[in-house]
Every structure is written in C-alpha cells, then in structure tokens.
Amino acid sequence: MGAFFSYVLLGLSLAAPIGPINAAQLDKGIKNGFLHAWFLGIGATSVDALYMLVVYFGSVHFLSSDFMKTFLFSFGCFVLIYTGVEGLMSAGKITQHRNTKGDSVLKCFFSGFLISLTNPLTILFWLGIYGSVLAKTANTYETEQLILYSCAIFAGILSWDIAMAALASTFRRYLAATFLTVVSVVSGLSLIGFGIYFGWQAVKQFIT
C-alpha cells in the first residue's frame, strides 16, 4: 500500500508544475466555475493516458521524431496563443456569479485535450519520467502490479486536476472581481508566453 501511494504522489508531482494546462484551468475556473475547469483538466488527462499507453507499448519513437516535434510545437504555438488571446479578450467580463453563457464543458474538454496533445514537452516528459519508472518497475513487479502502479500515477494526476479546478472556482467565489480579472489576464499572458516559446522551439527544430 505504501508503494501505491508513492506512485500517487509521483502523479501529483508530475501534474503540479506550472504550465499551460494549469494556467488554462485557472482561467476557465475563474470565468465559468469548477465544472469547466475540471473538464479542461480531464481533456488534458486523457492525453496523459494516451501517452502513457504509447510509452507502455513502446511506440514513442514515432512521436519523438524531429518532424513530429516540429509539427506539434507549431500547432501548439497556434493553440496556446489563440487560447491566451481569447482569455484576455474575455477577462473583463468576469462577474461574481456563474456565467451560464460561457464556454460549454465539451469545448473546455477539447481545449485541454488540444493544449496537452500539441505540447511536445508532454511527450518528452512522459518518455523520461514514465519510461524510467516503467523500466524500473517492470524489473521488480509482475504485469498486474505494473498496471496498478500506472493507475496510481494516473490517480495522482486526476487528484491534482480536481484540486486546481476547486482552487480556481474558490477564487471566483470569494475574491473581488478586479483581482479575478488580474489573475485571468496573467493566465492569458502566460498562455501566450508558452505559445511564443513553442513557436521559437518549432523554428529551432526547423532550421537545425
């Protein structure tokens, strides 16, 4: 049981670093509430599950090719800048009440899915972290335990998504509208910043 919870903590540590998904969740939670932020996180987590399967079945060499990294960096640049600009344009529309005319939860899900899917750093992250965990665990445990500990990592990621969604919706409920607008603007700018970084990485991949 102690080993199981150690892998849950690993999943939490994988999801916790500030990145495009956390920024987008914070933005959606402030504007639309818990459910929208959670569904954005679920969309991103679906991609995590996909990459875990890819690493598990040993097909990551295709995703880590130079062509795929260039394509994903380029598309990720577009998705993040678009999402960031959209967030900035709607930052001034925040109210203290639930916005029933905001984005649908399905749109939030696909937004999180696309942001995570087009992030090559996610692929390299799962290759480096989960790949090494997989190699170590496979030498020590049976297949059933390997699947169990992989599920524990996934449970840790889901727990962080729920925590982020709850945090964002709590901010929305109790903090002043002006402060929420500032947080939303910062989130939008951070998404644009990540998008510019991805674009630069795409240029570097293309010219090398």
Side-chain angles (χ1 to χ4, degrees):
M1 187 59 70
F4 179 85
F5 281 111
S6 70
Y7 282 100
V8 172
L9 289 174
L10 175 61
L12 283 168
S13 66
L14 294 178
I18 297 301
I21 292 299
N22 285 343
Q25 269 194 292
L26 194 60
D27 183 62
K28 290 298 181 187
I30 285 173
K31 290 189 175 75
N32 303 113
F34 173 84
L35 195 62
H36 291 74
W38 185 48
F39 266 76
L40 189 142
I42 291 295
T45 305
S46 301
V47 176
D48 289 332
L50 175 65
Y51 285 150
M52 285 178 75
L53 289 174
V54 167
V55 175
Y56 185 85
F57 289 108
S59 303
V60 78
H61 61 277
F62 170 72
L63 292 175
S64 59
S65 66
D66 289 338
F67 170 78
M68 282 303 297
K69 284 193 287 187
T70 302
F71 171 76
L72 290 172
F73 270 130
S74 301
F75 194 50
C77 171
F78 168 76
V79 170
L80 288 171
I81 290 178
Y82 174 82
T83 305
V85 170
E86 186 181 48
L88 287 177
M89 291 177 65
S90 60
K93 301 177 183 178
I94 296 173
T95 65
Q96 293 294 87
H97 305 288
R98 181 170 296 276
N99 182 6
T100 57
K101 297 182 180 179
D103 296 335
S104 68
V105 292
L106 190 61
K107 181 179 178 181
C108 291
F109 174 88
F110 282 112
S111 178
F113 187 88
L114 277 177
I115 290 174
S116 188
L117 184 68
T118 57
N119 185 355
L121 299 180
T122 303
I123 302 170
L124 299 177
F125 196 70
W126 280 110
L127 175 62
I129 301 296
Y130 184 63
S132 61
V133 168
L134 198 63
K136 177 185 176 182
T137 309
N139 291 329
T140 310
Y141 300 104
E142 300 294 331
T143 303
E144 293 79 7
Q145 290 174 299
L146 188 61
I147 294 173
L148 178 65
Y149 293 146
S150 297
C151 291
I153 295 174
F154 196 68
I157 295 171
L158 281 174
S159 300
W160 179 259
D161 287 336
I162 293 172
M164 278 297 296
L167 179 66
S169 60
T170 300
F171 279 173
R172 182 174 188 262
R173 188 173 303 169
Y174 295 110
L175 298 180
T178 302
F179 181 77
L180 294 180
T181 300
V182 171
V183 174
S184 186
V185 168
V186 171
S187 298
L189 289 174
S190 68
L191 288 171
I192 293 173
F194 282 117
I196 293 172
Y197 171 77
F198 280 16
W200 173 240
Q201 293 300 314
V203 171
K204 288 171 65 175
Q205 286 284 337
F206 183 76
I207 62 178
T208 56

